[in-house]
């Protein structure tokens, strides 16, 4: 598979990626209309607290919920009754702490054989970022198995988001193991359908085995495009539905409801490759692979989409 070579600016944008915090805004109810509402960016404040990157305040489709302005918060603050916590719950209903902890432990401990096999595909697409992307967002970072492929440069800044806050300790450990300075790594409890970063604020977005479990695939892809700078890269590795008429597709459809319960919303039979191709990227390059350690979670598509 041949991948494009891009020339990526290495100068951080002070208006969209410098550390900042936002004023807390009160929730404002509006009429239930199916439209996206835009608002001027909130003013910046000086603070010592950990915070997200500067950028336009983003809003959620009112077709999904009553449209409200949600404050951008670090992961440690989303346990409060904040607007963004409500947004997370709309797309990713809260689960018991024991389940979140257990699932994070499983993803960290029981996926080593899978990661070893899929590594040759990840290295092709994630390795393409080295020297070309300094500001990277990983959606659904989980326990951080991808960090060793792209975050070994001390100049790289990474934001990882995941709805499961229990993943954070594992992701931070993976960042340390990869050699990424912890000052260059931030973890936030957030979702792909409402990424709490500004427009055109990152050089690259990474998502591996993410679109199988988001509630709204198309909205998540719109968010990926929104936060990417022009010419930026969306790097993906996803499992997709098997071909129609195959025994594998039959079992995927049969087991899909159980898979969603056991694997935190994961769908076995989504046409994710088609969704990425139709998302409006300027170009998409991807290939397919069969991962023997993944059982029914096959085939995989992997590649790069360019904004």
């Amino acid at each position: 598979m041949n991948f494009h070579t891009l020339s990526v600016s290495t100068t951080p944008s002070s208006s969209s990626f410098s550390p900042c915090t936002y004023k807390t805004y009160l929730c404002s109810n509006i009429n239930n209309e199916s439209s996206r509402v835009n608002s001027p960016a909130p003013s910046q404040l000086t603070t010592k607290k950990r915070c997200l990157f500067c950028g336009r305040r983003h809003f959620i489709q009112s077709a999904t919920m009553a449209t409200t302005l949600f404050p951008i918060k670090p992961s440690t603050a989303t346990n409060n009754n904040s607007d963004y916590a409500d947004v997370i719950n709309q797309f990713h209903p809260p689960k018991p702490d024991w389940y979140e902890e257990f699932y994070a432990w499983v993803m960290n401990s029981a996926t080593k054989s899978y990661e070893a096999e899929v590594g040759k595909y990840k290295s092709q697409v994630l390795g393409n970022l080295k020297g070309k992307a300094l500001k990277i967002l990983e959606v659904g970072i989980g326990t951080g198995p991808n960090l060793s492929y792209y975050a070994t440069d001390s100049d790289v800044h990474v934001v990882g988001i995941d709805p499961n806050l229990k993943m954070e300790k594992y992701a931070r450990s993976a960042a340390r193991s990869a050699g990424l300075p912890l000052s260059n790594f931030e973890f936030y409890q957030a979702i792909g359908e409402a990424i709490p970063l500004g427009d055109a604020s990152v050089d690259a977005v990474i998502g591996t085995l993410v679109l199988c479990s988001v509630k709204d695939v198309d909205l998540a892809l719109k968010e990926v495009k929104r936060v990417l700078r022009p010419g930026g890269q969306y790097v993906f590795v996803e499992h997709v539905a098997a071909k129609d008429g195959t025994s594998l597709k039959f079992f995927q459809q049969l087991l899909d409801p159980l898979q969603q319960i056991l694997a935190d919303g994961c769908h076995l039979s989504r046409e994710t490759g088609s969704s990425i191709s139709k998302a409006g990227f300027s170009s998409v390059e991807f290939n397919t692979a069969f991962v023997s350690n993944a059982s029914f979670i096959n085939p995989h598509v992997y590649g790069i989409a360019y904004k």
Side-chain angles (χ1 to χ4, degrees), residues 197-265:
L197 295 181
D199 295 339
S201 59
V202 297
D203 299 323
V205 177
I206 296 169
T208 64
L209 303 188
V210 172
L211 295 182
C212 59
S213 58
V214 298
K215 189 171 184 179
D216 189 324
V217 175
D218 292 336
L219 182 56
L221 288 169
K222 286 180 182 178
E223 283 290 272
V224 168
K225 287 174 55 186
R226 181 183 66 80
V227 300
L228 273 175
R229 66 163 183 79
Q233 305 178 42
Y234 167 46
V235 180
F236 58 90
V237 179
E238 298 284 352
H239 67 87
V240 299
K243 290 183 179 180
D244 290 338
T246 62
S247 59
L248 179 56
K249 180 64 172 288
F250 170 79
F251 283 109
Q252 286 177 339
Q253 293 174 325
L254 182 66
L255 296 173
D256 209 354
L258 180 61
Q259 174 76 0
Q260 292 175 45
I261 295 172
L262 297 179
D264 205 13

Side-chain angles (χ1 to χ4, degrees), residues 70-188:
F70 62 88
I72 299 178
K73 297 275 190 176
S75 60
T76 54
T78 54
N79 291 325
N80 300 326
N81 290 326
S82 67
D83 298 333
Y84 189 66
D86 293 337
V87 173
I88 292 177
N89 293 340
Q90 288 284 342
F91 287 96
H92 190 84
K95 296 178 176 61
D97 279 351
W98 70 263
Y99 177 89
E100 300 275 73
E101 186 68 64
F102 176 72
Y103 191 72
W105 176 83
V106 169
M107 294 303 293
N108 187 65
S109 306
T111 60
K112 289 181 172 54
S113 59
Y114 168 81
E115 290 295 339
E117 184 174 357
V118 80
K120 58 185 175 183
Y121 308 118
K122 286 186 175 183
S123 63
Q124 291 181 44
V125 290
L126 295 174
N128 188 64
L129 297 177
K130 290 185 177 181
K132 302 174 185 176
L134 296 183
K135 298 173 291 186
I136 299 174
L137 164 68
E138 182 162 355
V139 179
I141 191 170
T143 59
N146 298 326
L147 289 165
S148 61
Y149 295 99
Y150 69 87
T152 57
D153 190 331
S154 61
D155 292 330
V156 171
H157 293 258
V158 178
V159 171
I161 65 172
D162 200 285
N164 185 347
L165 190 56
K166 305 300 183 180
M167 299 286 190
E168 180 172 8
K169 60 185 177 183
Y170 298 109
R172 290 194 177 279
S173 177
R176 285 192 297 268
S177 297
L180 180 68
L182 289 185
S183 59
N184 292 8
F185 177 73
E186 292 290 344
F187 180 103
Y188 297 102

